[in-house]
Amino acid sequence: MTGKINIYHLYPNHLNLYGDRGNMLALCRRARWRGIEVNIVPVGPGDGINFTSCDLLFMGGGQDSDQKLVAEDLKERSAEMRRAAEENMVIFAVCGSYQLLGSYYTTARGEKIGGLEIINLYTDPGHGRLIGNAAISCSLWDPSRTLVGFENHGGRTYLGENLQPLGKVLYGYGNNGTDKTEGAVYNNVIGTYLHGSLLPKNPWLTDHLLQKALAYRHQDITLRELDDSLEIEAHQAALKLAEGRPR
Ligand code: GLN
């Protein structure tokens, strides 16, 4: 084996909407196909997180009630999580978890859930839910690449000044349905509203996360190319679904 990645999967039983767990499968498979060892650590309520061994932390989407539970449970670990994010640990958070990375999320019922304050954003409620297939143009690469997924959120997220969005909305709603931004990137922290599962049909994002997780522990490994024909077919099928959505 060359290389090893420890992936902490936070609250797999509480945060798993629209196939978010598939992101874990994509990360594991694409690492193992390159001979990289992957160790998965599921973390439930009350469990600790060993930040000295965590390379990549994944959190899926969740309903308001689960978000509340998770926010409460993570409160005492928020300072450590913040420190790790500053040191470039990889965090990948989808929808409800993405909202929790910010300063707060106010639910449609007006309940304010305090966030982890890892990235400079906040989430307010709005009229109606933002639902549908979506596509964004993502500038983690030059030239930009497309990411496709499915969104379903009541919250509207607004990015603080200088915070880079994950991408520009091509089809769908994105962070708030108005400013055309989607998701956020800060150091190696990536938050997005895109479920799907997202990673299996956007393999370049999976590889980006793996590469950053390896680099975080100074593992200088170049990921070899894989045959992505199936993944690209899935990507194109999802893109077709997203086309025709409101711009
Ligand atoms: N409960 C949050 C919202 O409705 C997040 C939902 C989700 O994770 N899909 O905005």
Side-chain angles (χ1 to χ4, degrees), residues 17-18 61-64 67 95-96 99 105 129 152-155 195:
L17 292 179
Y18 311 110
Q63 291 168 359
D64 291 358
Q67 276 175 274
C95 202
Q99 295 171 340
Y105 162 50
R129 298 188 67 80
N152 181 355
H153 49 110
H195 299 275

